[in-house]
Amino acid sequence: MVEPEVLVVGRSCMDIVLVVDGYPPEDHKTAVRLRTIEGGGQGGTAACCVRRLGGSVAYIGKVGDDEAGSFCLERLQNFGVDTRGVERVRGGHTPVASIVVNAESGTRTIFYEPSDLPRIDATKVFSSKAAAKPIVLLDPEVTYLAGDARSAAGSLYRLVYDCERQRPGLRDMMERADYFIPSEEFLSPENGFADNAPLAQRIRSLGRRVRGRLIVTCGARGAVVAGGDRLLEIEAPSVAVRDTIGAGDNFHAAFALAVHRGGTLLEAAKLAVAVASLSCTRYGGREGIPTMDEAAQVAAGLKVAELG
């Protein structure tokens, strides 16, 4: 078995995707144009993305011993992900997410089941004796690993953290992650950022709280890389968006792989913007993931400008 370049830790679930012509008002109904079922979860999708890009990847997570768990495991294996670190929990329930996609706008609304599966033990995550240590991507569901992850990983592993919202352990993660990647939506008043403040001001404010490197995803606008006193904004390419279900997950995956392979912060972020954007051109979080050649070609043409 090939040693992994990226080790992904986090959530797997089953996604039921319903495409409609327009999201209906409450207490109304609408016809479904397309229904598809795919493996989901931030960690699971990120692992599949690394593999589609040609990287070697191992995934650590938990699923139930139910039908949904079998489906999630099968889909990971179909992509070529190393699933030896996946635990099937006897009597456990694999989460299912129902996602409604508005075909007109490409937006999506997600109804998800929180996971009640047991927590992952950090010592099992970092017990590999591989000579070439992979970069480790932690998804939001395993934010609780923050303290244990850094102490267990020591200086042998670099940690990439996918920041979604406030969770137990987030403050520790700000101190311990080598690469801290939230979305622009995280920079909100409920998280301590000034209401209506310019984006550059909010990013710099967060940068003072984060020990590692900071990259902020900005949806259809691209991403911002914080490098010292400079903020570099990467413009997203123009694509025909079907939905954005896996865009963030695929961004983090591509970024982690590029960093592991020696890319600069800016190069890794440009590749991640390209991959995330192209992944939006097909329905579901995984079907539209590009190859490395496709993504690299788009990344090479992305515009970069100084923000603020």
Side-chain angles (χ1 to χ4, degrees), residues 25 46 56 63 69 84 142 174 196 202 211 215 232-233 279 285 299:
S56 55
V63 296
R84 290 176 295 174
V142 294
M174 288 181 174
N196 297 322
R202 287 179 284 147
R211 180 194 66 82
I215 303 93
L232 299 178
E233 185 172 28
S279 74

Side-chain angles (χ1 to χ4, degrees), residues 26-74:
E26 189 172 341
D27 205 28
H28 284 65
K29 61 182 179 180
T30 190
V32 173
R33 176 193 289 190
L34 174 69
R35 177 180 182 270
T36 184
I37 299 176
E38 179 57 284
Q42 296 99 320
T45 295
C48 291
C49 179
V50 172
R51 193 68 195 96
R52 176 68 63 81
L53 291 172
S56 55
V57 59
Y59 168 72
I60 292 181
K62 298 191 179 189
V63 296
D65 59 353
D66 50 7
E67 185 176 349
S70 297
F71 176 79
C72 289
L73 195 57
E74 179 183 2

Side-chain angles (χ1 to χ4, degrees), residues 179-238:
Y179 303 94
F180 190 89
I181 311 178
S183 69
E184 182 180 357
E185 286 72 28
F186 180 77
L187 306 176
S188 61
E190 55 263 37
N191 291 322
F193 299 93
D195 194 15
N196 297 322
L199 178 59
Q201 179 180 323
R202 287 179 284 147
I203 292 176
R204 288 192 172 97
S205 176
L206 177 58
R208 290 190 288 270
R209 310 182 201 177
V210 173
R211 180 194 66 82
R213 307 306 298 270
L214 175 64
I215 303 93
V216 178
T217 62
C218 301
R221 297 207 321 277
V224 177
V225 174
D229 293 331
R230 301 181 68 200
L231 300 179
L232 299 178
E233 185 172 28
I234 303 166
E235 183 180 336
S238 177

Side-chain angles (χ1 to χ4, degrees), residues 105-297:
S105 64
T107 58
R108 83 287 188 270
T109 302
I110 302 176
F111 304 87
Y112 70 94
E113 295 177 341
S115 176
D116 58 4
L117 296 168
R119 288 186 167 192
I120 295 169
D121 182 351
T123 60
K124 294 182 179 179
V125 174
F126 300 105
S127 62
S128 171
K129 294 182 173 56
K133 299 300 183 185
I135 194 163
V136 179
L137 172 57
L138 302 175
D139 86 2
E141 187 139 301
V142 294
T143 305
Y144 59 81
L145 287 176
D148 292 337
R150 174 52 64 192
S151 59
S155 60
L156 297 176
Y157 299 84
R158 287 173 293 170
L159 304 181
V160 177
Y161 174 61
D162 170 4
C163 174
E164 181 183 54
R165 55 182 170 81
Q166 287 287 344
R167 292 174 181 262
L170 182 62
R171 184 167 303 219
D172 284 339
M173 195 63 79
M174 288 181 174
E175 291 290 329
R176 289 168 170 80
D178 296 285
Y179 303 94
F180 190 89
I181 311 178
S183 69
E184 182 180 357
E185 286 72 28
F186 180 77
L187 306 176
S188 61
E190 55 263 37
N191 291 322
F193 299 93
D195 194 15
N196 297 322
L199 178 59
Q201 179 180 323
R202 287 179 284 147
I203 292 176
R204 288 192 172 97
S205 176
L206 177 58
R208 290 190 288 270
R209 310 182 201 177
V210 173
R211 180 194 66 82
R213 307 306 298 270
L214 175 64
I215 303 93
V216 178
T217 62
C218 301
R221 297 207 321 277
V224 177
V225 174
D229 293 331
R230 301 181 68 200
L231 300 179
L232 299 178
E233 185 172 28
I234 303 166
E235 183 180 336
S238 177
V239 297
V241 175
R242 290 295 184 94
D243 70 48
T244 59
I245 291 173
D249 310 331
N250 295 321
F251 182 101
H252 300 104
F255 178 86
L257 180 61
V259 167
H260 178 80
R261 291 185 170 180
T264 66
L265 196 65
L266 183 60
E267 289 168 344
K270 287 179 69 175
L271 180 72
V273 168
V275 169
S277 300
L278 293 171
S279 74
C280 295
T281 60
R282 303 284 291 275
Y283 288 122
R286 302 178 182 178
E287 192 63 29
I289 301 171
T291 65
M292 180 61 84
D293 287 344
E294 291 168 340
Q297 183 176 358

Side-chain angles (χ1 to χ4, degrees), residues 89-101:
V89 178
R90 176 177 288 187
H93 172 70
T94 305
V96 177
S98 298
I99 305 171
V100 180
V101 175

